[in-house]
Amino acid sequence: MGLTIGVDVGGTKIAAGVVDDDGKIVEMVKRPTPAADPSGTIEAISDAIKELLGRNEVAAVGIGAAGFVDESRSEVLFAANLSWRNESVARQVEERTGLPVVIENDANAAAWAESRLGAGRGHNDVVMITIGTGIGAGIVLNGELCRGRWGMAGEPGHYRVVPDGRLCGCGNRGCWEQYA
């Protein structure tokens, strides 16, 4: 396939990198995430991609974002730490960059990468817990990414661990990521 761009969108930073077929990062840039501004976040992602495109010939973009991603892998349905609600991320970034874009939950993307290129290589079953602004998880079972019926499997950060606890960005109270 050649070079692609991978983008990790978290609650505090956007990291974008040009990656070769072997998963080696060729070049990387970072930006702060304007998390309270959905369109500003799209612009920051697109600007990082365009900067990398200025120095690299790239075929496609993959975005890993904290939040619930629809099963078509084009829209973020809900992202507690990004202010995205039914945001058509893939389409908007495609329009700004001219490249095909696919989006995946960031923990799912990380688990898949580890199962193919990292610590999970050679194993059919991998579970990865991610800890950052929030807490996520990616699950690979029998060599396949487990996304769940609506693309939302593996979101332990929003398991309620304290009844009537602290208010979470998801709207519930007592979520694990409010305490860890």
Side-chain angles (χ1 to χ4, degrees):
M1 177 174 209
L3 299 177
T4 56
I5 293 178
V7 183
D8 178 24
V9 183
T12 59
K13 76 171 178 347
I14 296 165
V18 177
V19 182
D20 69 16
D21 285 337
D22 296 320
K24 181 181 176 240
I25 298 172
V26 175
E27 181 182 1
M28 195 166 126
V29 297
K30 291 183 183 179
R31 302 269 191 287
T33 304
D37 178 5
S39 61
T41 301
I42 297 289
E43 283 300 323
I45 293 166
S46 301
D47 288 347
I49 292 168
K50 287 189 256 183
E51 179 181 336
L52 292 169
L53 282 175
R55 295 184 294 275
N56 299 277
E57 192 168 324
V58 174
V61 175
I63 299 174
F68 300 148
V69 177
D70 75 332
E71 58 190 323
S72 72
R73 297 179 12 188
S74 62
E75 187 172 319
V76 176
L77 302 174
F78 179 82
N81 299 313
L82 290 172
S83 298
W84 280 344
R85 308 294 183 268
N86 299 308
E87 197 73 37
S88 55
V89 176
R91 180 187 54 78
Q92 291 180 67
V93 174
E94 284 174 355
E95 288 172 355
R96 287 166 174 79
T97 64
L99 290 172
V101 175
V102 65
I103 188 161
E104 181 58 81
N105 172 272
D106 60 347
N108 286 351
W112 183 251
E114 286 296 334
S115 74
R116 295 296 174 250
L117 303 168
R121 183 188 302 201
H123 298 279
N124 284 329
D125 302 316
V126 174
V127 174
M128 180 175 185
I129 305 294
T130 60
I131 300 174
T133 305
I135 299 172
I139 305 164
V140 176
L141 298 174
N142 297 316
E144 297 287 328
L145 182 62
C146 178
R147 300 186 77 249
R149 184 171 177 189
W150 294 285
M152 298 181 232
E155 285 295 328
H158 298 290
Y159 295 168
R160 292 181 68 191
V161 297
V162 178
D164 299 319
R166 296 179 187 153
L167 181 63
C168 181
C170 75
N172 287 326
R173 291 191 167 273
C175 293
W176 184 22
E177 68 181 46
Q178 297 305 304
Y179 297 89

